[in-house]
Amino acid sequence: MTVAVAGALMKGAQRNDFIDAMKKYGRLYPGAGYGGRFRAWLFSDSREPYCSWDNGSAMRTAAVGWYFGSLEATRRAAALAAGMTHDHPEGIKGAESTASSIFLARTGHTKNEIWAYVEREFDYDLSRSLVEIRPGYRFHVSCQETVPQAITAFLESADFEDAIRTPSPWAGTATRWPQSPARSRGRPTAFRSG
């Protein structure tokens, strides 16, 4: 769906562009791990959303964070791309926060600035480190239970490779992955408040 969103952006970023691209790519790649309601929507004639708050809306918005020259345009397009299917406020919030984080990172904002923006604008609690999140974390599909944790994983990473290798809280036990010294002590000093 990330490619579908990128294609829709290049066609004009209008409602029908997103719907057409998602249905086209979703039907071309039906085994890509979509959720049940999204799969049903893909193969239906419906062009209406179904009020989802699942994290699919956030997972497909990376291109939106790269495409626009302003944060406001990024947020509008993320909400539009999400709202084709995931029009629940939490689904839209997940997409907007993800695209906004990408936009801020690519335009030179610090991780502290991204952290503050996401907490202020989207009311996500990013105060817990991955070390604190992992012990009680269980698989979720909701934006509210996956997007803040994914943003935290990015914020705690030291570089690109570390971001890829950083164990996601939903990947199971952290003992399978090496931990950087900063992560093993919790949130890096730069992110601690007070």
Side-chain angles (χ1 to χ4, degrees):
M1 284 302 109
T2 302
V3 172
V5 169
L9 292 171
M10 292 185 282
K11 283 196 167 224
Q14 300 301 307
R15 181 179 191 277
N16 285 332
D17 298 325
F18 288 108
I19 294 170
D20 292 343
M22 283 189 252
K23 288 203 178 246
K24 173 186 171 184
Y25 282 96
R27 290 172 180 177
L28 282 172
Y29 302 97
Y34 310 120
R37 290 194 307 160
F38 185 75
R39 178 183 303 284
W41 178 85
L42 278 176
F43 291 96
S44 75
D45 292 331
S46 175
R47 297 178 69 79
E48 297 303 316
Y50 50 87
C51 199
S52 176
W53 41 256
D54 292 356
N55 58 17
S57 62
M59 289 193 286
R60 66 186 183 217
T61 60
V64 176
W66 283 96
Y67 193 77
F68 293 95
S70 75
L71 187 55
E72 295 76 22
T74 298
R75 286 187 65 169
R76 277 194 307 274
L80 183 61
M84 300 306 97
T85 53
H86 295 62
D87 62 331
H88 185 281
E90 290 295 338
I92 291 172
K93 181 171 136 175
E96 281 191 50
S97 62
T98 300
S100 296
S101 295
I102 292 167
F103 174 85
L104 292 170
R106 81 165 174 89
T107 56
H109 290 79
T110 67
K111 288 183 177 182
N112 280 339
E113 290 170 329
I114 296 167
W115 180 39
Y117 182 83
V118 169
E119 285 199 324
R120 180 181 69 248
E121 292 294 315
F122 302 105
D123 198 32
Y124 282 148
D125 179 7
L126 303 179
S127 65
R128 296 184 326 150
S129 71
L130 291 180
V131 169
E132 295 167 315
I133 293 168
R134 275 188 204 101
Y137 195 87
R138 299 295 174 260
F139 176 77
H140 295 275
V141 296
S142 70
C143 281
Q144 56 270 39
E145 294 295 331
T146 56
V147 173
Q149 292 80 0
I151 292 172
T152 297
F154 159 70
L155 292 173
E156 289 190 16
S157 66
D159 54 32
F160 178 78
E161 183 177 352
D162 191 41
I164 300 301
R165 291 181 178 272
T166 294
S168 57
W170 50 90
T173 177
T175 59
R176 298 181 333 183
W177 298 87
Q179 288 195 349
S180 71
R183 224 182 4 262
S184 66
R185 292 188 302 274
R187 184 173 294 281
T189 305
F191 295 103
R192 292 191 187 123
S193 60

